[in-house]
Amino acid sequence: MAQRGETGMPATQVDQDLQRWFLSADERGNTQTSLDSRHRDGLAWSTGNRVRALVHGSVYFAELYGAVKAMGIGDLLMFTDWRSDPDELLSGPGSEVGAVFAAAARRGVDVRGLVWRSHVDQLSFSASTNRALGDEIEASGGQCLLDMRVRPLGSHHQKLVVLRHAAHPERDVAFIGGIDLCHGRRDDAAHRGDPQGDPMAAVYGPRPPWHDVQVAVQGPAVGDAETVFRERWDDPAPLSRGPLRIVLDLARGVDRSARPMPPQHPDPEVCGTAAVQLLRTYPNRAPGYPFAPHGELSVARGYRKALARARSLIYVEDQYLWSVDVARVFAEALARRPALRLVVVIPRFPDQDGRASMPPSLVGRAKAMRVLRAAGGARVAVYGIENEAGTPIYVHAKVCVIDDTWACIGSDNANRRSWTHDSELSSAVIDMGPEGSEPWARSLRHELSREHLGADVDPAVLNESARWFDAFQEAARDLDTWHHGGRLGPRPPGQLRRYTQPVQSQWTRTWATPLYRVLYDPDGRSVGQRWARRF
């Protein structure tokens, strides 16, 4: 009798179906990583996982808070972050992330962190707060390193927390997605914003509403997530090569050497039906990372392979979607399939509204929109969202659902920087569940769609791509009409507004385009890859 997989289908059939969607180890294009060699039969993903979507920062932070509070001596907490504010509350008073992690270290939890060193605060970055979190953890016996092993003008953008338990491996979990441990992220379904707001463009108000998604992964994939962390932690290269940074670190007594990690525990046992493949971006840089000497572009390659299979619908939530190179991958899918529909939810306005900071982002997005609409025409719909008060909600989520089969949630945005230049980590998930159950990707799309539509929607409408597409259009049209009519009468349900942006003058495009290409959306590919337009 054939071996059977977690879904009840023969294991060979399950593997064949997954191979059509997921990257093989060869397709990942990185022979030096240990990520793929961990799996059976040379597969580049794990099976038997349980995956849950944590929609909204408040949901994620509350779960993270409870999980860390329950950790004890001998347990291991690992995290990577782009930005961290040690005083950000995970729940109520006394739940500051720095204090929670430091208290875990004092209880005997081995706390390890890799936080991007960042650029100076004067450029709207977070060098001082990232350093403050590290100081608090170090003072309690943990170790948090400021990692600047990036390309020039690059960053470490991965947002990962892995919790391993010496005595209770069934509690092991990896949190992967787009949510930083910082101000502005702890919003909820009402979208009134994090009480500890972060300054943004004036249109978002003093407490900017924020939409974001993280996943909680349990099962063998936790071992994969830990491997991602360990590869970076064990990199023997100096944390920074800048002479000034080295001198400042020496003067401050900053820890610049990683303590050896304890041996890695066996992967957690099978606990669900989800197949999970971790996708990453590491740029082509000199010197290269020992675990990716020529870089790794599996985020881009994973999207390209999955989009090539798209037949009916693509649903995207993204912070940017402003790269022509990335838009072409979606456009190719639209051109191949005349019935394919694309729905995109992005911020209605950039996060910064300065005279010099806003135009470059709009230049890139305008070009990407033209590429998509040229390929898909009326089959492409792009929306922003707002809360009940009419304040725009900043979309920071990085979500893609294809044909209710393949779903991806992570740190990568749909732009060239995320696909080629900065470090990124995303989780691609396929979970068809037991026979008769709803695919996980469909459940995720339904949950997000119901929030944006703001009403009880017949599941049959959501299940049929054409009716779902029309429901979004109708909801946005009704809300736009209400606003344009002076906001008279009851407000129509939902959050959706049709996305538009101002036309920029030729002079603005002339000076903003070089800034966009060099600073906002740089290219981390090799020269050959750029010329060939490949990832």
Side-chain angles (χ1 to χ4, degrees):
M1 180 181 293
Q3 180 185 1
R4 304 190 74 79
E6 288 82 5
T7 63
M9 294 188 294
T12 53
Q13 180 181 340
V14 173
D15 289 344
Q16 289 171 1
D17 289 343
L18 295 175
Q19 286 168 6
R20 296 186 181 99
W21 288 95
F22 285 156
L23 296 176
S24 66
D26 287 343
E27 289 169 329
R28 184 185 292 276
N30 179 10
T31 60
Q32 297 304 304
T33 180
S34 59
L35 193 56
D36 296 332
S37 60
R38 312 177 70 255
H39 301 125
R40 64 179 175 84
D41 302 328
L43 301 179
W45 57 85
S46 65
T47 57
N49 301 288
R50 180 185 180 216
V51 181
R52 294 175 293 118
L54 307 178
V55 182
H56 311 306
S58 62
V59 175
Y60 166 44
F61 281 3
E63 179 152 334
L64 177 63
Y65 177 58
V68 174
K69 289 279 285 184
M71 299 182 81
I73 190 167
D75 295 341
L76 178 61
L77 185 163
M78 298 158 279
F79 72 98
T80 67
D81 212 358
W82 177 79
R83 173 176 178 171
S84 300
D85 286 304
D87 64 338
E88 172 66 13
L89 295 175
L90 296 177
S91 184
S95 66
E96 294 85 353
V97 63
V100 170
F101 283 12
R106 290 193 296 272
R107 291 196 304 274
V109 178
D110 191 347
V111 178
R112 309 290 184 108
L114 286 168
V115 180
W116 178 46
R117 183 174 186 123
S118 188
H119 306 307
V120 296
D121 298 344
Q122 288 79 1
L123 296 177
S124 298
F125 288 99
S126 52
S128 62
T129 60
N130 289 1
R131 186 168 59 248
L133 177 68
D135 290 346
E136 189 166 357
I137 290 172
E138 297 260 351
S140 298
Q143 189 171 38
C144 183
L145 303 178
L146 299 178
D147 191 352
M148 200 62 179
R149 293 170 291 196
V150 296
R151 282 177 66 101
L153 303 176
S155 77
H156 281 302
H157 199 241
Q158 297 173 340
K159 303 121 190 319
L160 167 70
V161 179
V162 182
L163 309 181
R164 300 300 304 266
H165 301 78
H168 296 281
E170 72 280 0
R171 298 179 185 172
D172 290 351
V173 61
F175 298 102
I176 303 168
I179 304 180
D180 299 281
L181 303 172
C182 71
H183 294 165
R185 281 21 176 199
R186 191 168 61 96
D187 201 356
D188 56 24
H191 287 301
R192 299 185 183 94
D194 186 341
Q196 295 171 278
D198 201 39
M200 292 177 60
V203 70
Y204 291 103
R207 189 170 151 176
W210 193 274
H211 175 71
D212 223 331
V213 183
Q214 200 89 349
V215 289
V217 180
Q218 294 174 280
V222 174
D224 291 344
E226 181 175 353
T227 298
V228 171
F229 179 89
R230 285 175 176 267
E231 285 188 335
R232 281 184 55 189
W233 185 269
D234 292 338
D235 184 349
L239 293 169
S240 173
R241 291 179 289 175
L244 178 60
R245 289 194 176 99
I246 293 173
V247 170
L248 290 174
D249 285 351
L250 291 173
R252 294 171 179 151
V254 173
D255 195 348
R256 292 181 55 87
S257 58
R259 296 199 298 257
M261 292 285 290
Q264 185 167 351
H265 290 306
D267 290 351
E269 294 292 330
V270 166
C271 62
T273 57
V276 176
Q277 179 168 64
L278 297 189
L279 304 174
R280 306 181 298 185
T281 299
Y282 289 116
N284 180 57
R285 66 187 288 266
Y289 302 104
F291 50 86
H294 304 292
E296 179 179 318
L297 304 180
S298 57
V299 166
R301 294 178 178 189
Y303 267 83
R304 182 181 285 279
K305 182 168 185 176
L307 286 166
R309 293 191 53 78
R311 302 293 186 271
S312 176
L313 66 89
I314 304 169
Y315 178 67
V316 173
E317 294 187 355
D318 198 79
Q319 181 182 4
Y320 294 132
L321 188 56
W322 63 16
S323 166
V324 168
D325 292 315
V326 172
R328 285 195 190 104
V329 181
F330 288 86
E332 289 166 1
L334 289 163
R336 277 191 298 266
R337 296 288 174 176
L340 180 63
R341 292 171 172 82
L342 170 64
V343 170
V344 179
V345 177
I346 55 178
R348 292 185 63 208
F349 305 97
D351 57 344
Q352 301 297 322
D353 54 6
R355 295 180 64 182
S357 60
M358 183 170 67
S361 61
L362 295 179
V363 163
R365 180 169 286 163
K367 293 180 179 179
M369 293 297 108
R370 285 197 293 270
V371 168
L372 293 175
R373 288 183 169 126
R379 294 179 290 127
V380 175
V382 184
Y383 303 99
I385 53 178
E386 67 176 30
N387 65 15
E388 287 283 339
T391 305
I393 300 169
Y394 191 74
V395 179
H396 191 258
K398 301 94 167 59
V399 176
C400 183
V401 176
I402 300 176
D403 288 351
D404 285 348
T405 300
W406 183 93
C408 192
I409 296 175
S411 68
D412 65 282
N413 294 298
N415 64 356
R416 194 167 52 197
R417 176 181 281 278
S418 279
W419 280 25
T420 72
H421 192 274
D422 293 356
S423 74
E424 305 284 2
L425 175 64
S426 291
S427 53
V429 180
I430 296 177
D431 185 359
M432 307 312 289
E435 187 174 352
S437 64
E438 188 170 69
W440 188 84
R442 175 176 292 170
S443 298
L444 172 65
R445 182 177 62 84
H446 282 197
E447 180 177 1
L448 296 170
S449 295
R450 288 192 178 98
E451 176 184 343
H452 300 326
L453 291 169
D456 277 337
V457 184
D458 184 347
V461 172
L462 299 178
N463 286 341
E464 187 179 333
S465 61
R467 296 175 69 189
W468 165 74
F469 187 89
D470 290 344
F472 267 61
Q473 285 192 320
E474 291 167 8
R477 183 192 60 220
D478 290 347
L479 195 49
D480 285 343
T481 300
W482 181 76
H483 276 284
H484 297 154
R487 299 167 59 131
L488 301 176
R491 182 185 183 277
Q495 303 170 336
L496 295 164
R497 302 291 305 278
R498 188 172 64 89
Y499 177 77
T500 61
Q501 69 179 53
V503 176
Q504 297 174 301
S505 69
Q506 179 62 51
W507 165 241
T508 298
R509 294 196 301 272
T510 298
W511 69 258
T513 297
L515 285 178
Y516 161 74
R517 290 176 175 168
V518 174
L519 298 179
Y520 284 66
D521 204 20
D523 198 329
R525 292 174 293 180
S526 67
V527 173
Q529 289 172 323
R530 297 182 199 186
W531 277 104
R533 289 186 174 181
R534 62 184 173 85
F535 293 102

